[in-house]
Amino acid sequence: MRDGITLSADVYRPKENGPFPAIVVRTPYGKTGKAMDRQGKTYASHGYAVILMDVRGRGDSDGEFVPYFNEGIDGHDTIEWAAAQPWCNGEVGTMGGSYLGRIQWLAALTRPPHLKAMISTVSPSDPFVEWPTGVPTPHHVCWLYMTSGRVMQDVDVIDWERVYQHLPLVTMDERTGKRLPSWREQMEHTRLDDWWRRLCYQDRFHELDMPVLHISGWYDDEQVGTPLNFAGMTRFAGTERARKNQKMIMGPWPHRVNRSTALGELDFGPDSLIDLDGYQLRWFDYWLKGEENGIMDEKPVRLFIMGENRWREESAWPLPDTQWTSYYLHSGGKANSRFGDGTLSPQPPKQESPDRYTYDPERPVPYITEMTSSQIGGPDDYSAIERRDDVLVYTTEPLSEELEVTGPVEMELYASTDARDTDFMVKLLDVWPSGFAQRLTDGMVRARFRKGMDRPELVEPGKVYRYKVDCWNTAHVFRKGHCIRVEVASSAFPKYDRNLNTGAPLGQTTDMSAAEQTIYHDTERPSAIILPVIARKGSS
């Protein structure tokens, strides 16, 4: 690297004489495992030189691992090193998922001259997009523990439930038996400041001239980044060439895409798995080898529509024929739990009593998930959790015909609290005739960040505010006889840390208090979830 640090890479090359286009894959998870070896051999057998590299401070590479902060310039130097080798023809692409996806964006922003195309899979977003709380999520301490030191740490030996319950957050790492410097440093920056902005890329698409293949799944716990990146590049990339040459694939997958047809209690059928390796090879064959294989003649968006469990190609994201439809909250003031009187409908409310509940951070609403950071949530059944009185539940009548919801989901929520700061969580669910309440997507807002992650401001107790809650994206058909349901609560633990309701500096204290929450749905304050409804053709 330019600062003299040596990074270790394994290079796979075709048996034939070169030179060849090259593919760079940089990872903190170890370059020598079976999956990496398979990837190297697969692409080398198709005429590519493949560089699998341990990032700085991990595996066999020298230096100190500080997540993300060296990856832009290290990626640049690796790409240019590869291009200069006698076995490379100067055409270089990058690929990889999760951490490997995000660091491609950071490298691309340094504008390495020989980078020609990317495949970014399940890419994390900018700071605070996935977790708009001002502090890292509890699961992040698991990831930092796993990647501490040079080799992968065994996360299964830790009682993560005990770790996540620890307060104050700033010393949560001690419960793992390790002091994690990155956790402590991130806890010092509880707003979007210049320290975090060094890792931002989603406001810099205009600087890029690059074809990108974007891949994720509807149940990827970092899903929100992929549609944002595709839409951002098609609108704001620096050249018309780049804007017209983006593609996106969204399957019914978790963070580890295209591995199984089943997720949780659901099986999405044999068609839910695709030849993803073959598609990625076609992408690189076109952009790095110049092969006219027809891939760019196909529509740019490929979506798996859950509920009917089939793939569909589209021309844009969000879909051009989207009918943005508000479904309003209604009740007689007793929407607490699924046994309450909360309803959901396209009809705006009139004069209705607000709903109230008590949020106690000592007894947070559970978010159904494994305790490690490998996957957070899925199409889980929330019917049991909806028995709680601190969960407001609003449900439509059983649908008389199919309803497709495909695109970004947002909630406009009118709410007040008697605290100086608190949280509001929103969840969209499909309720089956059996009572199975399938989570589709969800989101949250921390009251102090209602004006933006760079502008924290405590709320005035008792004052009604309009909150916009980004509930990410879905592509789902609600079948005839099913119901649409919205949950409103003030915690989703341990997906997000508990708001202690005091307004104190985030992550530093153990003091907490219960908050009295009020959700409004009347003529002046019509709380509603805004669904991207798609007209059905020939539905019944």
Side-chain angles (χ1 to χ4, degrees):
M1 300 295 106
R2 65 187 66 181
D3 62 355
I5 293 293
T6 299
L7 304 190
S8 177
D10 292 344
V11 180
Y12 293 71
R13 301 207 309 268
K15 294 179 179 179
E16 300 80 8
N17 294 325
F20 308 99
I23 299 172
V24 170
V25 181
R26 305 182 62 254
T27 180
Y29 303 125
K31 60 181 170 57
T32 58
K34 290 181 179 179
M36 297 295 279
D37 180 66
R38 173 185 169 275
Q39 186 175 30
K41 289 176 177 176
T42 295
Y43 285 87
S45 70
H46 285 83
Y48 293 93
V50 184
I51 299 91
L52 306 181
M53 173 179 279
D54 287 328
V55 300
R56 180 182 295 240
R58 294 286 294 159
D60 295 329
S61 289
D62 294 340
E64 179 185 1
F65 179 59
V66 181
Y68 294 113
F69 280 98
N70 296 301
E71 305 298 10
I73 57 173
D74 284 355
H76 181 287
D77 292 352
T78 305
I79 290 164
E80 294 306 299
W81 173 86
Q85 301 310 302
W87 37 259
C88 181
N89 64 7
E91 302 290 308
V92 182
T94 59
M95 69 184 305
S98 196
Y99 188 97
L100 291 68
R102 187 181 186 182
I103 65 177
Q104 293 179 70
W105 293 100
L106 299 177
L109 287 170
T110 69
R111 300 186 181 182
H114 293 91
L115 178 59
K116 306 300 182 182
M118 292 171 23
I119 300 177
S120 179
T121 304
V122 296
S123 179
S125 294
D126 285 350
F128 304 124
V129 173
E130 292 154 25
W131 33 282
T133 57
V135 292
T137 65
H139 282 86
H140 187 57
V141 79
C142 174
W143 185 87
L144 289 173
Y145 177 90
M146 180 178 67
T147 56
S148 61
R150 290 194 170 272
V151 299
M152 296 290 281
Q153 307 296 302
D154 187 353
V155 297
D156 292 330
V157 302
I158 303 296
D159 182 354
W160 290 110
E161 189 168 3
R162 179 172 175 266
V163 171
Y164 299 153
Q165 290 172 347
H166 175 81
L167 292 174
L169 292 180
V170 67
T171 57
M172 182 186 286
D173 57 341
E174 293 178 356
R175 288 285 188 182
T176 70
K178 285 192 174 192
R179 186 182 178 91
L180 302 170
S182 290
W183 177 264
R184 301 294 179 97
E185 189 169 17
Q186 291 176 28
M187 290 296 301
E188 294 175 5
H189 300 273
T190 57
R191 54 182 289 269
L192 185 57
D193 57 13
D194 289 341
W195 187 85
W196 283 112
R197 289 186 193 281
R198 295 176 292 169
L199 302 185
C200 292
Y201 68 92
Q202 290 175 316
D203 59 349
R204 299 177 64 186
F205 294 131
H206 62 280
E207 300 178 30
L208 298 175
D209 176 15
M210 180 109 24
V212 183
L213 172 57
H214 312 255
I215 303 170
S216 186
W218 301 122
Y219 286 104
D220 170 24
D221 50 52
E222 295 183 306
Q223 173 243 89
V224 64
T226 295
L228 283 177
N229 293 345
F230 173 81
M233 286 294 286
T234 55
R235 291 184 63 192
F236 303 119
T239 65
E240 184 177 6
R241 169 184 173 273
R243 292 191 292 272
K244 289 186 174 181
N245 289 298
Q246 306 294 311
K247 282 189 176 290
M248 181 173 73
I249 300 174
M250 296 292 296
W253 306 320
H255 195 56
R256 295 183 177 181
V257 302
N258 203 44
R259 301 286 184 90
S260 171
T261 65
L263 181 59
E265 297 182 45
L266 298 185
D267 193 310
F268 292 102
D271 293 340
S272 62
L273 297 183
I274 62 174
D275 180 12
L276 193 57
D277 283 341
Y279 194 89
Q280 292 176 121
L281 276 167
R282 290 178 65 208
W283 177 260
F284 280 140
D285 286 347
Y286 183 89
W287 289 109
L288 301 185
K289 293 182 179 180
E291 293 185 5
E292 292 293 340
N293 54 22
I295 191 170
M296 299 311 296
D297 298 326
E298 300 167 4
K299 289 185 178 181
V301 177
R302 190 178 183 187
L303 309 175
F304 188 89
I305 311 300
M306 300 182 293
E308 66 179 9
N309 292 351
R310 70 179 183 92
W311 290 94
R312 195 170 71 212
E313 293 186 347
E314 296 288 349
S315 60
W317 180 269
L319 275 56
D321 56 348
T322 301
Q323 301 169 5
W324 302 101
T325 305
S326 294
Y327 276 74
Y328 297 93
L329 308 188
H330 297 274
S331 82
K334 297 180 180 179
N336 310 78
S337 86
R338 62 185 170 92
F339 305 111
D341 64 358
T343 63
L344 189 70
S345 80
Q347 284 72 44
K350 295 182 180 179
Q351 294 310 114
E352 299 180 4
S353 299
D355 291 301
R356 294 180 172 86
Y357 63 96
T358 302
Y359 159 51
D360 184 353
E362 289 190 350
R363 188 175 172 267
V365 176
Y367 190 89
I368 301 172
T369 184
E370 297 295 330
M371 287 293 113
T372 65
S373 58
S374 59
Q375 173 63 31
I376 304 173
D380 303 298
D381 181 5
Y382 274 81
S383 58
I385 289 171
E386 291 167 350
R387 300 175 69 93
R388 295 173 57 119
D389 283 344
D390 56 355
V391 179
L392 303 182
V393 179
Y394 305 89
T395 311
T396 66
E397 293 294 322
L399 298 177
S400 59
E401 59 183 17
E402 292 181 348
L403 180 75
E404 180 180 336
V405 173
T406 296
V409 177
E410 184 179 76
M411 182 82 185
E412 289 188 355
L413 188 71
Y414 291 85
S416 66
T417 177
D418 68 351
R420 295 302 311 279
D421 186 33
T422 196
D423 292 347
F424 293 103
M425 277 70 180
V426 174
K427 191 180 291 104
L428 176 67
L429 308 99
D430 178 351
V431 184
W432 297 39
S434 64
F436 177 76
Q438 175 191 347
R439 168 188 164 262
L440 296 175
T441 189
D442 59 82
M444 66 88 66
V445 62
R446 181 150 287 175
R448 72 173 68 193
F449 292 117
R450 66 196 179 278
K451 295 182 177 179
M453 296 306 303
D454 58 342
R455 293 183 290 166
E457 180 182 294
L458 298 180
V459 298
E460 179 182 332
K463 182 177 179 179
V464 181
Y465 295 90
R466 182 172 71 106
Y467 296 98
K468 287 192 174 183
V469 185
D470 181 357
C471 297
W472 298 18
N473 311 269
T474 193
H476 183 77
V477 172
F478 292 85
R479 309 296 292 198
K480 182 178 178 180
H482 288 223
C483 301
I484 306 170
R485 176 171 288 172
V486 169
E487 291 177 12
V488 178
S490 287
S491 47
F493 186 75
K495 182 178 183 179
Y496 302 108
D497 70 287
R498 295 167 287 170
N499 195 318
L500 304 184
N501 297 328
T502 65
L506 294 172
Q508 305 297 319
T509 66
T510 60
D511 294 336
M512 65 178 71
S513 62
E516 298 301 320
Q517 319 288 53
T518 305
I519 304 300
Y520 299 85
H521 42 85
D522 52 41
T523 305
E524 292 76 25
R525 298 162 295 194
S527 294
I529 193 163
I530 303 169
L531 299 181
V533 173
I534 308 300
R536 302 289 290 160
K537 298 177 181 179
S539 61
S540 60

